[in-house]
C-alpha cells in the first residue's frame, strides 16, 4: 500500500502543478470570467435550495422575515435616539424690534 499511497500523492501534486500552470498562463480577464461563472453557479444552486426550503416551511420563513423586520425597526429607533442624545444644541438670541417696526405691523402681528 505504500507505493499506492505515494502514487496518489504524486498524482495530486501533478494535478496541483498543472492547475497552477494553467492559472498563470490564463489572462486576467479569463480568470475573472471563471470566478464569475463559479459564483453564478453557487448562487443558482443556493437559490434552488432556498426555494425548496421556502416551499416546505412557509410559516418558518414568514416568522424569520417578521423577526428580521422587527430587528431592523429596533436598530433604526435606537440610531434615531442616539442622534437625539448626541445632538448639539444651539442658542438663539432674541432680537428686539424697534418701536417703529412694531407700529407698522398689522393686526395679526406680522
Amino acid at each position: 500500500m505504500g507505493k499506492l499511497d505515494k502514487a496518489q500523492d504524486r498524482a495530486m501534486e501533478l494535478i496541483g502543478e498543472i492547475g497552477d500552470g494553467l492559472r498563470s498562463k490564463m489572462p486576467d480577464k479569463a480568470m475573472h470570467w471563471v470566478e464569475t461563472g463559479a459564483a453564478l453557479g453557487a448562487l443558482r444552486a443556493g437559490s434552488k435550495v432556498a426555494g425548496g426550503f421556502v416551499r416546505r416551511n412557509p410559516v418558518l420563513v414568514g416568522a424569520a422575515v417578521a423577526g428580521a423586520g422587527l430587528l431592523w425597526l429596533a436598530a433604526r429607533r435606537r440610531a434615531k435616539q442616539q442622534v437625539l442624545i448626541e445632538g448639539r444644541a444651539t442658542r438663539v438670541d432674541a432680537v428686539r424690534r424697534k418701536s417703529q417696526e412694531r407700529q407698522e405691523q398689522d393686526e395679526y402681528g406680522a
Side-chain angles (χ1 to χ4, degrees):
M1 292 300 282
K3 289 184 179 181
L4 184 61
D5 290 336
K6 287 181 184 179
Q8 287 178 344
D9 290 340
R10 182 65 184 143
M12 292 302 290
E13 287 177 19
L14 287 173
I15 290 171
E17 289 176 14
I18 291 170
D20 291 340
L22 286 175
R23 279 190 215 106
S24 66
K25 302 252 191 261
M26 198 180 295
D28 290 336
K29 271 280 203 221
M31 195 62 179
H32 177 71
W33 282 105
V34 168
E35 289 172 358
T36 304
L40 287 175
L43 182 66
R44 189 173 177 187
S47 67
K48 284 183 179 181
V49 170
F53 183 80
V54 169
R55 256 185 259 113
R56 290 186 189 104
N57 305 303
V59 174
L60 185 62
V61 172
V65 169
L70 288 174
L71 286 174
W72 175 78
L73 184 63
R76 189 171 153 209
R77 284 185 134 183
R78 184 178 175 116
K80 282 186 179 181
Q81 283 181 341
Q82 290 291 11
V83 168
L84 291 177
I85 291 171
E86 296 174 1
R88 291 188 173 183
T90 56
R91 182 181 174 117
V92 179
D93 293 327
V95 178
R96 294 187 180 234
R97 293 186 177 180
K98 296 178 184 175
S99 61
Q100 293 174 350
E101 290 178 353
R102 288 184 191 162
Q103 291 174 358
E104 292 176 3
Q105 293 177 358
D106 61 1
E107 61 192 46
Y108 298 108

